[in-house]
Amino acid sequence: MKLLSSILLLLSVTASISDARRASTSSLTSIPRRADLRKPRVAFVKSDGAWANDAKEVRGGDGGGTATMSNEMFNMVKALVGVGVLSLPAGIAAFGDNPSAAIPAAILIATIGAIAAYNFSLLGRLCAMTGATSYRSAWEKSVGESTAWIPGSSCVIKTFFAILAYSMVLGDTFSALFKTFGMSVSREAALVGLTVTCLLPLCLLKDLSSLAPFSLAGIAGMLFTAVAMAIRFFDGSYASADSGLAMDVAESLRPSIGTKGASAVFSSNSFILICMLSTAYMAHFNAPKFYLELENNTIARWNTVVATSFSVAVLFFIGIASMGFATFGGASNGLILNNYSTKDSLMGFVRVAVAFALVFTYPLAFVGCRDGLLEMLKVPKEERTDAKLNNLTYIILGTVTAVAMKITDLSFIMSFGGATLGNALIYVYPAIMFRSAVKNMGDDATKAQKLEVYLAMTFAALGIGMGAVGTKMALGKL
């Protein structure tokens, strides 16, 4: 937590230095105002290409949107704490099998969370600097339009990985629920049946506004899951592989406590957890949306929202990862719910809660992937007929289902997706955009902003390094 606070404190100090140098009354404290008539620079370009003469224009409105800080925090936590957190115990099990391995894992979770929070905040400030309204437009206004397809396609593919993970979890979860009721249904059959009867009709809906309230079930489900996992850890139901509820699961899923503890974190296998975290913390393509929706979106208020939201997410991640791993050790499955007995009534309720939340939030993520693909292919909105949208829905959903039937290890999807696209979207692209934006400002850029470029590029280099090693380690698991 201290590292997260320190990084965001650096942002506030940077803003204060900039403000003191130009003695501006603007609440956009990280953006210098022009005091001369030189040629306009990209840092002050509005979305329509016109030159913005004051901070209000740069921010695209009178102090941002209408969302209060508490609403923003809730929605941001909801975006961060998703189904990916259920694979984190397996990330710890990749390098350790003794409960003490959870200690360095918690440090890694907090550290990666702090860096992810910094870059999330940086994306909001980039929107203020460039007048951008989306991740892609931030790239267009800072780096250039000709290469904007790079982050655009990355967002689409990453969203594909997200719905793939959803399908994998739903297949495992519904198969386990059928067993709870005494029916033996394979993972593949459960997934196909669910896709045809529930997911397809929901994804074909043209108006998803009625599903929005169900997204609230996601955070409630994760909170219930964390509490239930803590109860099962402390009541000792799975304390031994040869007794209790552990006897009802496959031998490979029973608790396996060994000797690889805290020092095992220095193994290269720890990069699997690191890259899984790049997927778990992935909400950065929505950072512009969150910034623009914040009421009175000063940089100080924005940083407070980001710091608080990521701190809550870090606590969630540490709690679920630690409880799951401490219970099952080296046997922690890529979907930790698979380690719990189908005869465990408490975890049965957890599976119901997770399944309910995923089924009704699935279409929201799916539409993001489908519409993002259309944007990437530059299909005009007037040509997006119902027939074309339906056909594309069949293709994408069919592909996702087929892949989910073949790949059963959620931890692989999390680590591989994080090592490649996750690291790029969280660490690399924001640094490149910030560097270009500061460069485009020329003499208008403050010394603090120029120095911050080095910090951002350091995180980018770190992301590339982690991604290279993580990709190798993830592929090695196949």
Side-chain angles (χ1 to χ4, degrees), residues 45 60 72-73 104 182 189 220 230 285 290 292 306 313 334 343 357 390 395 417:
V45 175
E72 283 278 285
M73 291 173 189
F285 42 76
F290 280 113
L292 294 173
V306 174
K343 296 180 181 179
N390 291 344
I395 294 172

Side-chain angles (χ1 to χ4, degrees), residues 66-343:
T66 59
T68 64
M69 292 179 69
S70 58
N71 287 340
E72 283 278 285
M73 291 173 189
F74 180 84
N75 289 327
M76 200 175 292
V77 170
K78 185 175 64 177
L80 289 167
V81 182
V83 69
V85 69
L86 299 178
S87 69
L88 294 184
I92 306 177
F95 65 85
D97 56 14
N98 186 277
S100 63
I103 298 174
I107 296 174
L108 283 176
I109 292 172
T111 301
I112 298 300
I115 300 174
Y118 165 78
N119 283 286
F120 198 96
S121 174
L122 185 63
L123 286 166
R125 290 193 291 138
L126 273 167
C127 290
M129 294 169 68
T130 64
T133 57
S134 68
Y135 198 106
R136 176 168 180 150
S137 68
W139 182 283
E140 291 175 345
K141 292 175 179 293
S142 57
V143 180
E145 295 185 10
S146 61
T147 54
W149 62 271
I150 298 176
S153 59
S154 297
C155 289
V156 172
I157 299 173
K158 195 69 182 72
T159 308
F160 178 87
F161 273 102
I163 58 177
L164 173 60
Y166 281 13
S167 288
M168 293 171 66
V169 172
L170 285 170
D172 286 338
T173 302
F174 272 86
S175 178
L177 285 174
F178 279 120
K179 291 179 182 177
T180 299
F181 293 102
M183 295 180 284
S184 180
V185 179
S186 69
R187 175 182 180 276
E188 292 76 14
L191 178 58
V192 171
L194 177 69
T195 300
V196 173
T197 59
C198 295
L199 299 182
L200 178 59
L202 289 173
C203 290
L204 288 173
L205 291 175
K206 300 302 180 290
D207 182 8
L208 300 179
S209 58
S210 60
L211 299 181
F214 290 103
S215 64
L216 300 178
I219 190 66
M222 288 299 104
L223 179 60
F224 179 47
T225 300
V227 172
M229 290 173 66
I231 291 174
R232 283 294 177 254
F233 171 72
F234 288 110
D235 70 10
S237 297
Y238 296 87
S240 172
D242 301 320
S243 61
L245 291 170
M247 293 295 293
D248 297 322
V249 299
E251 187 173 350
S252 61
L253 297 175
R254 296 176 186 176
S256 177
I257 307 300
T259 59
K260 292 187 291 185
S263 61
V265 74
F266 296 106
S267 164
S268 58
N269 286 331
S270 61
F271 280 91
I272 293 178
L273 172 62
I274 292 172
C275 291
M276 290 170 71
L277 289 169
S278 293
T279 295
Y281 285 118
M282 171 46 59
H284 290 59
F285 42 76
N286 283 325
K289 174 178 175 288
F290 280 113
Y291 173 73
L292 294 173
E293 288 179 349
L294 177 62
E295 182 184 27
N296 186 23
N297 55 353
T298 64
I299 298 305
R301 284 168 59 83
W302 169 242
N303 285 341
T304 299
V305 169
V306 174
T308 304
S309 302
F310 272 81
S311 295
V312 173
V314 165
L315 292 176
F316 254 109
F317 290 0
I318 291 176
I320 290 181
S322 299
M323 288 296 99
F325 175 74
T327 303
F328 297 99
S332 299
N333 188 261
L335 175 60
I336 194 61
L337 296 184
N338 288 341
N339 287 96
Y340 294 92
S341 170
T342 55
K343 296 180 181 179

Side-chain angles (χ1 to χ4, degrees), residues 159-160 162-163 166 208 360-371:
T159 308
F160 178 87
I163 58 177
Y166 281 13
L208 300 179
F360 288 101
T361 56
Y362 192 104
L364 302 174
F366 181 88
V367 168
C369 178
R370 185 189 65 194
D371 292 352

Side-chain angles (χ1 to χ4, degrees), residues 431-447:
I432 293 174
M433 288 188 281
F434 184 65
R435 179 178 179 274
S436 296
V438 172
K439 181 180 179 181
N440 291 334
M441 292 170 67
D443 295 337
D444 286 331
T446 66
K447 182 178 179 180

